[in-house]
Amino acid sequence: MRVLLYAALCLLAAPFAASAHDYEHNAIYLSHPWIVEPPPGAPTAAGYLMITNDGEDGDQLVSVTADFAERTEIHSMIMTDDGIMQMRPHDGPLVVPAGGDVLLEPGGLHIMFMGLRESLKDGDNHAVVLEFETAGEVVVEFTVQKRDGAMDMSHGDDS
Ligand SMILES: [Cu+2]
């Protein structure tokens, strides 16, 4: 019942809900991986998802690779002394504590896809390989979405 209700809420809340999708791999649960559609010709794009660890042990994301990008980095956002939001490589490994989750979302942590080899268009799906230290490797389809529509999604609140 809770699942049905949740699905209904999502449909009401966001026109893009149809593209929301989840993956389960060992103890790791990956929710709604998506990439903000970059401007044409942009060299980078930002990816987001929620990573949940249902396991007894902590885990960490050790690598992210994708055919469409030369390399990736995990970035976090910091506020500079001038009050400007700036991104920089995340300090150390991205740890997902046992029984906890890590949310990568606009304005916060994100996967930076760098050296884009192809244009990423709204509605496209692109395979990305996430490797976890304990759970191992999982291939996830990231859906490209325009930022405006995607910003309407507030899945974090009701999960
Ligand atoms: Cu970044």
Side-chain angles (χ1 to χ4, degrees), residues 41-71:
T44 62
Y48 307 101
L49 78 167
M50 185 156 90
I51 306 170
T52 304
N53 182 0
D54 279 337
E56 305 277 307
D57 303 302
D59 206 342
Q60 49 181 276
L61 183 61
V62 289
S63 83
V64 180
T65 49
D67 285 346
F68 60 83
E70 278 167 25
R71 63 197 179 90

Side-chain angles (χ1 to χ4, degrees), residues 47-123:
Y48 307 101
L49 78 167
M50 185 156 90
I51 306 170
T52 304
N53 182 0
D54 279 337
E56 305 277 307
D57 303 302
D59 206 342
Q60 49 181 276
L61 183 61
V62 289
S63 83
V64 180
T65 49
D67 285 346
F68 60 83
E70 278 167 25
R71 63 197 179 90
T72 67
E73 289 179 359
I74 303 293
H75 284 176
S76 54
M77 303 292 283
I78 53 150
M79 184 73 79
T80 66
D81 292 340
D82 307 328
I84 298 167
M85 290 292 279
Q86 235 173 37
M87 61 184 178
R88 66 171 186 195
H90 180 65
D91 231 8
L94 189 67
V95 173
V96 192
D101 50 48
V102 173
L103 180 61
L104 287 77
E105 62 177 347
L109 282 170
H110 56 278
I111 298 167
M112 203 83 227
F113 296 99
M114 311 175 83
L116 295 182
R117 295 191 174 113
E118 50 190 290
S119 59
L120 307 177
K121 295 285 174 211
D122 184 30

